[in-house]
Amino acid sequence: MAAASKKIYFIITAKPPPPNSFIDAGEICFIDKQQYESRQRRQATDILPVIRMGRTVENELDKVLLKPLSIRAAELLLAVESSEERLLTLKHQKDLDEALNLTIGDRVFVEYNGEKLKGIIRYIGSIINYSSNPITGTFFGVELQGEDKGKGQNDGSFNYKTCFKCPKNSGVFAPFTRITPIDHKPSAPPVSTPLPLLSMTSNEPLDVGDRVIYFLENNPHHGMVMDIKNSQDGKMVLISTDKDEEGKQGGEILIPLDCTMKEELLDNDEKMDTSQNQEMGSASDSGGISVGSLVQYLDNKLGIVRWIGYLPDFSEKSAGLEVETGSGVCDGKYKGKQYFDCPSKGGLFVKLSVCRPDDSVSGANENKSNGYIDHDGVSVEVENVPPIRTEDVSQRLIGQNKGIQGHCNSCYMDSALFSVFSCSSVLDSLLFKSIHHEDKTIQEILLKNIVNPLRKQGFVSARSVMNLRKQLQKREHCPTYTTDEKDPEEFLSLIMQEILFLDPLLSLCQSGSRHKVQSCYYYQIFMDYNHHLVLPTVQQLLEHSFYSNSLKLAEVPACLILTMPRSGKSFKMFPKIIPSTELDITGLLADSPQQCVLCGHLANEECAECFRDALFSDTGFKYFCSKCSTQVHSHQQRRHHTPSSLHLPQGFSYSDSLTPPPEKLELFAVLCIETSHYVSFVKHGPRDTDWIFFDSMADRVGESNGYNIPEVRACPEVGQYLHMPLAQLANQVPREMDGVAKRLFCDGYMYLYQSKSMSLYR
């Protein structure tokens, strides 16, 4: 996670004295790096304001109680259920060091049901997706082998999430305390402090990400430091090589520290470059690769090009790649300069010559490296252009003749496409997935004629949209797609479900019947007329709709599309709806740990009657631990309530020390309708003022060619209303609200949310 590297992590080694005596030894906590560094400058680090995992309130603790942890060590310890067991592991440091060195494919013993079972690690990572903590616990997914097959607990899935695949009852998920390596490796570096490594050749410290020269049989080679390890033979450096020993495409190699030195220590005329005048296989200098291209690099790994240019003291053209978080070495920074933005350990700099276009998307684009003009005279872009980032919105999107040009009742389609693709990548899989040959044309038009031009130039002509509408009509999906107005959800469902065959975005189940899962692409909010809501938030409407229909989410959606309650296009159930910029779906998840609304401990009961009565607050399902439930329902007015028991995922047990953090989605777009005309609002950055308003038919008089003039405008005024007290907002006269805010609050029809992990601006 991008936020994880901005924190410093600790384990509390002893129970604090009053007033913090309620805190248990063994809990994991953290402090913001900037806050810590600020206190260091003021020499105020004896007492640290830390936040415990699963909490939001700071507790001031003496630093003598806090043992620093690396991010990976904190993640491993967080998976251990009890605080006492976490403390015990600190007395057996070797076990934690061995766990840090485990990789997928390692042979291990895993403890399960009192037995030590033999297996192979198939997965390392989180198995609980609903966490807003900066980090989540790291578990090991083990596939049982040999005579131990069938003695496990699952098939590689946990809580509806498939982490790996194996035969039934041959998978086990376990924290590192139940894992024992069969083949012992050299220990990983200590978990609390970074290694103060010095190259014995150069007397200069080596860091992950440094360009180095290493020596094999006295021959110099080049590469980049990926990791630094301790071993029985001394300090070792894991290097991502530019070339292997035969001069071909590079890989990874482990080299003694004594055999390495920094490239920058050599003068330019002394640099030993073994790459000159040697073949690079099929990779050319650029090969049609540009910023935004999906490429393969070392050993067919995938990355997205975020920067191309020349790095200091390196003569060859380089590429900055955004790769899967954890497999990179930086956050887009090289030698103190930021070349592009990405999560920590989500960036990598490589020679451009080792990159080649990804085969999965380049095969259909042969001989089209720079675009072409199709038979309708429409310019076609072929590269994979990333969504527009906050810093580029003002120059690329704001103004007239920006966005998607409306024509002939296309506003529903224009607004939907702009909302989904302009500043978000959550549904980009639609653009590249394999589909039936007869629908390939529709997918290519969507990518090349609409999404790429929108993201690259900030404008899509009405002809491009009409081309898509013609293809939809030609395919007999609907005979009136070139003329009539439709609903946005009808269009999006058609594209996702019937043409591009995207897996359903939502998995729903009935409360109490968690195995009966229903799938859908969007959720229509239904409200009965017995509700007490006057000025509702989207959060309240969703919760009431789920409660009324006895629904729960079977899993956390990457994208959630909600349509508001209506009776026909003209009737609004509420004069105003407040957009919830964050949607807390923790209470809507089936079979997930829930937090008691009173004490914050793990809940084991749910009370529908308390929710109906809006007990304690107007939002949130009402979950209680046994102690608080007994207290609440001892009241005379609540004795008739019938709380129901909660189901917990495998691996959880009721413990006062376990407090599950909330799972939240973030709002990234809203479609609005007034008098049969659709417009949209898109949030493009983290600030409350980072909103833009799009109208595909802002000027309906049109230009000389007969088309309307679309417009995108910044609307920072939206932020002040989103944080306005409810009583004050309720008294706002819609026509007197600043700018276009009235449209957002009074005409909201479809709200689009995405998982925070998909956000481009976090």
Side-chain angles (χ1 to χ4, degrees):
M1 299 179 185
S5 62
K6 298 180 181 179
K7 315 292 182 185
I8 299 174
Y9 300 89
F10 306 93
I11 184 170
I12 302 172
T13 58
K15 195 172 184 65
N20 293 317
S21 56
F22 61 92
I23 298 175
D24 291 327
E27 291 192 58
I28 307 295
C29 59
F30 61 90
I31 185 175
D32 185 83
K33 272 187 179 179
Q34 290 185 344
Q35 185 181 10
Y36 181 79
E37 290 167 356
S38 174
R39 295 179 72 89
Q40 267 191 323
R41 289 192 292 270
R42 292 184 282 113
Q43 297 183 344
T45 55
D46 289 341
I47 302 296
L48 296 179
V50 297
I51 300 175
R52 294 176 292 145
M53 290 296 172
R55 307 286 183 172
T56 57
V57 178
E58 291 182 344
N59 300 109
E60 293 192 341
L61 299 180
D62 194 309
K63 70 175 183 180
V64 300
L65 301 175
L66 303 174
K67 177 180 176 62
L69 299 170
S70 68
I71 294 178
R72 290 185 60 203
E75 290 172 333
L76 286 171
L77 288 167
L78 198 57
V80 179
E81 183 175 341
S82 72
S83 300
E84 294 82 1
E85 191 177 358
R86 290 194 201 112
L87 278 179
L88 190 60
T89 61
L90 295 181
K91 298 179 181 179
H92 301 85
Q93 184 70 41
K94 181 181 176 182
D95 294 341
L96 185 55
D97 291 344
E98 282 189 334
L100 289 167
N101 221 23
L102 290 174
T103 58
I104 292 174
D106 286 351
R107 299 187 305 150
V108 296
F109 290 111
V110 56
E111 292 183 23
Y112 183 67
N113 283 342
E115 291 186 77
K116 275 198 169 185
L117 308 177
K118 185 179 293 186
I120 296 176
I121 296 176
R122 299 299 189 196
Y123 175 80
I124 302 175
S126 170
I127 58 174
I128 309 171
N129 289 331
Y130 31 94
S131 173
S132 60
N133 280 331
I135 60 173
T136 55
T138 293
F139 289 80
F140 294 85
V142 178
E143 180 181 0
L144 302 181
Q145 301 291 309
E147 61 184 15
D148 291 330
K149 281 187 178 180
K151 295 182 180 180
Q153 62 186 159
N154 52 54
D155 61 355
S157 299
F158 184 88
N159 200 24
Y160 301 103
K161 175 184 176 182
T162 300
C163 300
F164 65 95
K165 293 183 178 180
C166 68
K168 185 177 179 180
N169 293 330
S170 294
V172 175
F173 290 99
F176 79 95
T177 50
R178 288 164 44 200
I179 300 291
T180 304
I182 294 177
D183 305 309
H184 290 272
K185 299 180 180 180
S187 298
V191 300
S192 58
T193 55
L195 287 169
L197 287 180
L198 294 175
S199 166
M200 295 178 66
T201 305
S202 63
N203 262 349
E204 286 288 332
L206 282 183
D207 294 316
V208 171
D210 282 346
R211 293 285 308 176
V212 293
I213 296 173
Y214 61 96
F215 297 85
L216 293 175
E217 298 178 353
N218 294 323
N219 293 319
H221 302 267
H222 294 253
M224 180 179 290
V225 177
M226 302 289 287
D227 199 3
I228 303 170
K229 301 173 178 289
N230 272 337
S231 75
Q232 296 175 345
D233 300 322
K235 297 182 175 75
M236 305 291 288
V237 183
L238 181 64
I239 298 174
S240 173
T241 66
D242 295 346
K243 303 266 179 59
D244 62 17
E245 290 88 342
E246 298 178 359
K248 299 180 180 179
Q249 181 174 310
E252 292 181 353
I253 190 170
L254 199 61
I255 295 292
L257 179 65
D258 294 351
C259 298
T260 66
M261 65 183 300
K262 282 189 176 182
E263 271 189 358
E264 62 189 54
L265 297 177
L266 294 178
D267 295 329
N268 288 337
D269 56 350
E270 292 178 330
K271 285 191 176 179
M272 296 166 283
D273 191 350
T274 62
S275 64
Q276 299 298 323
N277 303 317
Q278 294 189 20
E279 294 288 337
M280 277 305 301
S282 60
S284 63
D285 182 47
S286 62
I289 295 172
S290 60
V291 173
S293 295
L294 181 66
V295 297
Q296 295 182 15
Y297 60 107
L298 306 177
D299 296 328
N300 297 322
K301 298 175 182 176
L302 291 178
I304 298 175
V305 179
R306 296 301 188 198
W307 175 86
I308 294 176
Y310 292 92
L311 293 171
D313 303 323
F314 194 63
S315 58
E316 252 190 77
K317 185 175 285 189
S318 301
L321 305 182
E322 183 172 351
V323 298
E324 182 180 355
T325 301
S327 61
V329 298
C330 67
D331 60 355
K333 186 183 294 183
Y334 182 78
K335 290 187 177 180
K337 181 178 179 181
Q338 195 78 43
Y339 288 88
F340 63 95
D341 294 317
C342 68
S344 176
K345 290 195 175 181
L348 190 68
F349 290 96
V350 299
K351 289 182 180 181
L352 183 61
S353 56
V354 306
C355 300
R356 63 183 184 278
D358 178 38
D359 298 336
S360 63
V361 297
S362 63
N365 296 329
E366 292 177 2
N367 303 319
K368 299 177 183 177
S369 59
N370 296 314
Y372 66 98
I373 304 298
D374 71 2
H375 58 82
D376 286 329
V378 178
S379 177
V380 176
E381 301 291 338
V382 298
E383 64 260 274
N384 172 23
V385 182
I388 302 172
R389 294 178 178 264
T390 300
E391 56 267 26
D392 299 322
V393 164
S394 178
Q395 180 178 0
R396 196 175 303 174
L397 263 187
I398 302 300
Q400 287 197 332
N401 275 323
K402 292 292 185 179
I404 302 175
Q405 189 176 37
H407 179 60
C408 198
N409 294 320
S410 68
C411 62
Y412 73 94
M413 188 179 293
D414 306 328
S415 297
L417 292 170
F418 186 87
S419 297
V420 170
F421 293 113
S422 60
C423 299
S424 174
S425 61
V426 69
L427 291 179
D428 273 16
S429 58
L430 283 169
L431 307 173
F432 302 105
K433 69 186 306 292
S434 299
I435 60 172
H436 295 159
H437 178 72
E438 59 267 25
D439 287 321
K440 189 68 177 177
T441 301
I442 292 176
Q443 186 185 47
E444 290 183 351
I445 291 173
L446 190 60
L447 171 64
K448 301 173 184 178
N449 292 52
I450 296 175
V451 176
N452 280 353
L454 174 63
R455 292 173 173 178
K456 193 171 184 179
Q457 286 92 31
F459 175 75
V460 179
S461 71
R463 288 182 298 166
S464 295
V465 178
M466 181 56 74
N467 197 9
L468 175 62
R469 297 168 76 183
K470 287 178 180 178
Q471 290 298 321
L472 294 174
Q473 185 163 297
K474 180 180 178 182
R475 290 283 295 115
E476 299 180 347
H477 291 295
C478 182
T480 58
Y481 252 103
T482 58
T483 56
D484 293 358
E485 180 184 326
K486 310 291 180 186
D487 291 325
E489 66 268 29
E490 177 186 351
F491 163 64
L492 290 175
S493 294
L494 173 66
I495 290 290
M496 290 188 289
Q497 182 175 3
E498 297 184 33
I499 299 177
L500 302 183
F501 300 103
L502 187 71
D503 291 335
L505 301 178
L506 288 179
S507 295
L508 305 174
C509 61
Q510 292 288 321
S511 298
S513 302
R514 59 191 185 280
H515 297 300
K516 297 179 180 179
V517 177
Q518 302 172 346
S519 299
C520 54
Y521 291 86
Y522 69 95
Y523 180 72
Q524 168 72 61
I525 291 179
F526 293 100
M527 297 291 293
D528 57 44
Y529 287 89
N530 297 321
H531 64 80
H532 62 279
L533 300 175
V534 178
L535 183 60
T537 63
V538 174
Q539 178 85 41
Q540 291 173 321
L541 292 174
L542 180 62
E543 288 177 349
H544 276 263
S545 183
F546 267 48
Y547 166 77
S548 300
N549 295 280
S550 299
L551 292 175
K552 288 293 181 71
L553 289 168
E555 60 186 15
V556 178
C559 179
L560 176 62
I561 301 176
L562 302 174
T563 56
M564 293 299 103
R566 284 177 176 263
S567 178
K569 289 185 178 180
S570 59
F571 179 75
K572 302 176 184 178
M573 187 171 285
F574 301 98
K576 289 193 191 86
I577 294 176
I578 302 175
S580 300
T581 53
E582 282 192 336
L583 202 61
D584 190 340
I585 61 171
T586 312
L588 306 180
L589 290 166
D591 290 356
S592 67
Q594 301 293 344
Q595 194 169 352
C596 176
V597 296
L598 294 181
C599 69
H601 289 157
L602 193 65
N604 56 4
E605 291 184 0
E606 173 186 5
C607 184
E609 290 94 338
C610 287
F611 175 81
R612 181 196 61 203
D613 297 339
L615 187 64
F616 305 118
S617 69
D618 284 340
T619 60
F621 278 46
K622 307 309 173 189
Y623 298 104
F624 304 98
C625 66
S626 297
K627 182 178 178 180
C628 292
S629 181
T630 301
Q631 182 179 353
V632 167
H633 294 104
S634 64
H635 191 281
Q636 185 174 358
Q637 294 181 355
R638 294 187 286 274
R639 288 177 183 172
H640 66 282
H641 289 189
T642 55
S644 58
S645 298
L646 294 177
H647 297 278
L648 283 181
Q650 288 179 327
F652 276 86
S653 61
Y654 292 108
S655 168
D656 288 343
S657 65
L658 180 60
T659 53
E663 176 64 38
K664 295 182 179 181
L665 305 178
E666 63 183 7
L667 180 67
F668 71 93
V670 181
L671 271 73
C672 303
I673 181 173
E674 184 184 35
T675 60
S676 298
H677 179 58
Y678 288 91
V679 296
S680 65
F681 290 82
V682 171
K683 195 169 191 293
H684 61 82
R687 298 173 300 180
D688 296 331
T689 55
D690 290 336
W691 285 89
I692 53 177
F693 171 77
F694 165 63
D695 186 348
S696 65
M697 301 180 181
D699 184 350
R700 303 198 185 197
V701 175
E703 299 174 305
S704 58
N705 61 8
Y707 291 103
N708 297 290
I709 299 177
E711 182 180 14
V712 180
R713 68 171 80 169
C715 50
E717 66 274 8
V718 165
Q720 65 174 310
Y721 293 104
L722 288 172
H723 290 279
M724 188 175 287
L726 290 182
Q728 186 179 351
L729 184 58
N731 292 326
Q732 292 289 315
V733 179
R735 64 176 178 272
E736 295 178 0
M737 296 177 78
D738 294 343
V740 292
K742 175 256 180 188
R743 304 294 300 274
L744 179 63
F745 287 89
C746 299
D747 302 329
Y749 175 64
M750 177 183 284
Y751 294 74
L752 291 86
Y753 289 86
Q754 65 184 358
S755 169
K756 288 190 174 184
S757 63
M758 298 299 300
S759 175
L760 295 175
Y761 48 80
R762 290 184 182 271

